[in-house]
Amino acid sequence: MSTPAGSILSLDKVTLRFGGLTAVSSLSLEVAQGSLFGVIGPNGAGKTTAFNLVTGVYKPTEGTIRFDGKTVAQGGKSGWRSKPYQLTAMGVCRTFQNIRLFTSLTVLENVRTAFQTRLKTGMFAATLRTPHFLDEEAAVEAEARELLALVDLDKLADADAANLAYGEQRRLEIARAMATRPRLLLLDEPAAGMNPSEKVRLMEMVKKLRERFGLTVLMIEHDMRFVMGICERIAVLDHGEKIAEGTPAEVRANPAVIEAYLGEQAHA
């Protein structure tokens, strides 16, 4: 099965088993280039496991995963998977539900760390501080500050990351992910722990990054108001199986989804 035209990510009947436990069962998804795609479901539905499959943490037991038309993971007896660092180089990056910043570094230094995989000068040039090394360092500095400006953290560039407010730390983690120049950004519970105004700000920021960089965003989110307000297409998982997929309006009106997940929130 080839990737449909316009899809940047394709999961074709992907299954993952841990012994006798099936964490993801025959999951098929097509994520369109440049789209905002949400994956919802209760705890234990398989959302994070699906993310781990896409980002190369797990190898599928069965099925195929393609990114930009290239097979990056294949199940079966001779199955294989691309490593996370290989996928990052291809343009796949993610954030985590539990924020993972370098709290001993400044805001700017956190973003600069993500440029390391893209640097062309080596240790020798860095030791001698060659002109090429200095030019590259200046370019990294400028791009890092530009990313911080896009997430409204430029004025806090020299502050310690540990001293940021929770919502600011979330935005910093996204800026650091953007420093890898992703084509597909996976956000794991990006609105978790945020107050309503922070969620609105985050929604606007994600949309702005999508437009600025032609980004495709795939997110897991429990906040129904947030995911319905930002995503153009949503898939619903239950015990590792996809039970529904469609536009926010279609998902909101689906009786099975309302009963299983959304309840009264579907009408909020």
Side-chain angles (χ1 to χ4, degrees):
M1 176 180 173
S2 61
T3 302
S7 292
I8 191 170
L9 177 68
S10 174
L11 278 68
D12 182 19
K13 298 180 180 178
V14 172
T15 295
L16 179 64
R17 298 189 184 93
F18 297 106
L21 173 67
T22 300
V24 173
S25 179
S26 195
L27 177 61
S28 293
L29 289 176
E30 298 294 339
V31 180
Q33 170 72 43
S35 66
L36 289 166
F37 195 111
V39 178
I40 64 174
N43 291 332
K47 304 183 302 298
T48 297
T49 303
F51 260 36
N52 287 335
L53 284 162
V54 171
T55 54
V57 176
Y58 298 140
K59 177 178 70 67
T61 307
E62 299 170 7
T64 304
I65 301 174
R66 296 180 181 87
F67 174 71
D68 196 25
K70 302 177 181 67
T71 299
V72 295
Q74 182 70 58
K77 292 183 179 180
S78 58
W80 57 276
R81 76 184 191 279
S82 298
K83 300 294 192 299
Y85 73 88
Q86 294 172 320
L87 289 164
T88 299
M90 292 175 67
V92 179
C93 194
R94 73 174 292 181
T95 64
F96 294 86
Q97 182 176 356
N98 298 317
I99 298 173
R100 301 183 183 185
L101 295 176
F102 298 110
T103 54
S104 62
L105 301 181
T106 68
V107 169
L108 179 63
E109 288 168 343
N110 264 272
V111 178
R112 286 176 60 96
T113 61
F115 286 89
Q116 296 306 310
T117 58
R118 292 167 39 199
L119 296 181
K120 296 179 181 179
T121 52
M123 185 179 297
F124 181 75
T127 301
L128 296 180
R129 301 187 67 78
T130 64
H132 181 60
F133 168 77
L134 294 175
D135 288 345
E136 191 171 48
E137 283 291 293
V140 166
E141 176 95 3
E143 188 172 342
R145 289 187 180 277
E146 180 184 6
L147 287 171
L148 288 177
L150 288 171
V151 299
D152 297 324
L153 290 176
D154 47 317
K155 294 180 180 179
L156 296 172
D158 298 321
D160 290 337
N163 294 333
L164 295 183
Y166 185 84
E168 293 169 339
Q169 290 187 357
R170 284 281 180 192
R171 300 204 308 276
L172 176 56
E173 189 176 40
I174 292 174
R176 186 177 62 182
M178 290 301 300
T180 68
R181 294 183 182 172
R183 297 177 60 205
L184 173 65
L185 178 63
L186 293 89
L187 302 177
D188 190 348
E189 298 281 358
M194 289 188 173
N195 61 44
S197 63
E198 287 174 330
K199 290 176 183 178
V200 170
R201 192 173 187 181
L202 175 65
M203 193 180 300
E204 293 172 349
M205 186 195 76
V206 171
K207 290 179 179 178
K208 180 171 65 175
L209 292 173
R210 191 265 292 264
E211 294 301 321
R212 175 72 177 269
F213 298 102
L215 192 63
T216 303
V217 179
L218 177 63
M219 70 171 65
I220 293 170
E221 185 52 64
H222 274 105
D223 187 316
M224 294 299 104
R225 187 181 296 275
F226 183 87
V227 77
M228 293 286 179
I230 190 172
C231 291
E232 297 151 346
R233 195 162 186 83
I234 299 169
V236 187
L237 302 187
D238 182 20
H239 296 97
E241 296 184 1
K242 184 175 73 174
I243 65 166
E245 182 181 340
T247 65
E250 290 169 341
V251 168
R252 187 183 293 114
N254 188 307
V257 174
I258 294 172
E259 181 179 357
Y261 303 104
L262 305 185
E264 292 304 316
Q265 294 185 61
H267 307 289

